[in-house]
Amino acid sequence: MDVTADWCVTCKANKINVLMTPEIQKALSEKDVVTLRGDWTLRSDAITSFLNKRGAAAVPFNQVYGPGLPQGQHLPTLLSQSSVLDALNQAKGDKA
């Protein structure tokens, strides 16, 4: 889950430096991964409510869910490739 806004400089940095890199794009393209993006460029009550329910008041907001992370894992404001890949791997859970 990526909640972003066009006016958010940190969101743009995360997109360019992490989310659009080949390694992350490959991981996000796996058959068992579903990506969701919320656009808060124009304030939205639905997105504001979504953020508030998760204890966030601003963007960027990134969270990963999966069998291994059913409650979700909130990622740091400044993303790194390792933080995203680690969360995606944890979300897969035990495949045994």
Side-chain angles (χ1 to χ4, degrees):
M1 165 67 64
D2 176 32
V3 182
T4 185
D6 284 345
W7 45 259
C8 173
V9 175
T10 305
C11 299
K12 290 181 185 292
N14 284 340
K15 180 178 180 180
I16 293 167
N17 296 321
V18 179
L19 297 175
M20 296 307 294
T21 63
E23 297 85 359
I24 300 299
Q25 285 296 297
K26 181 180 178 196
L28 294 175
S29 297
E30 295 288 325
K31 65 179 179 174
D32 59 349
V33 174
V34 175
T35 59
L36 301 170
R37 175 166 292 140
D39 185 351
W40 209 33
T41 300
L42 301 175
R43 294 286 173 150
S44 156
D45 290 340
I47 291 177
T48 300
S49 176
F50 175 88
L51 292 170
N52 290 337
K53 286 179 184 175
R54 285 153 182 83
V59 293
F61 178 83
N62 298 91
Q63 195 162 30
V64 176
Y65 295 87
L69 295 171
Q71 301 303 313
Q73 178 177 326
H74 183 202
L75 299 178
T77 301
L78 285 175
L79 298 176
S80 67
Q81 285 188 12
S82 63
S83 67
V84 174
L85 293 173
D86 289 348
L88 290 172
N89 285 329
Q90 288 178 27
K92 291 179 181 180
D94 184 23
K95 296 228 176 191

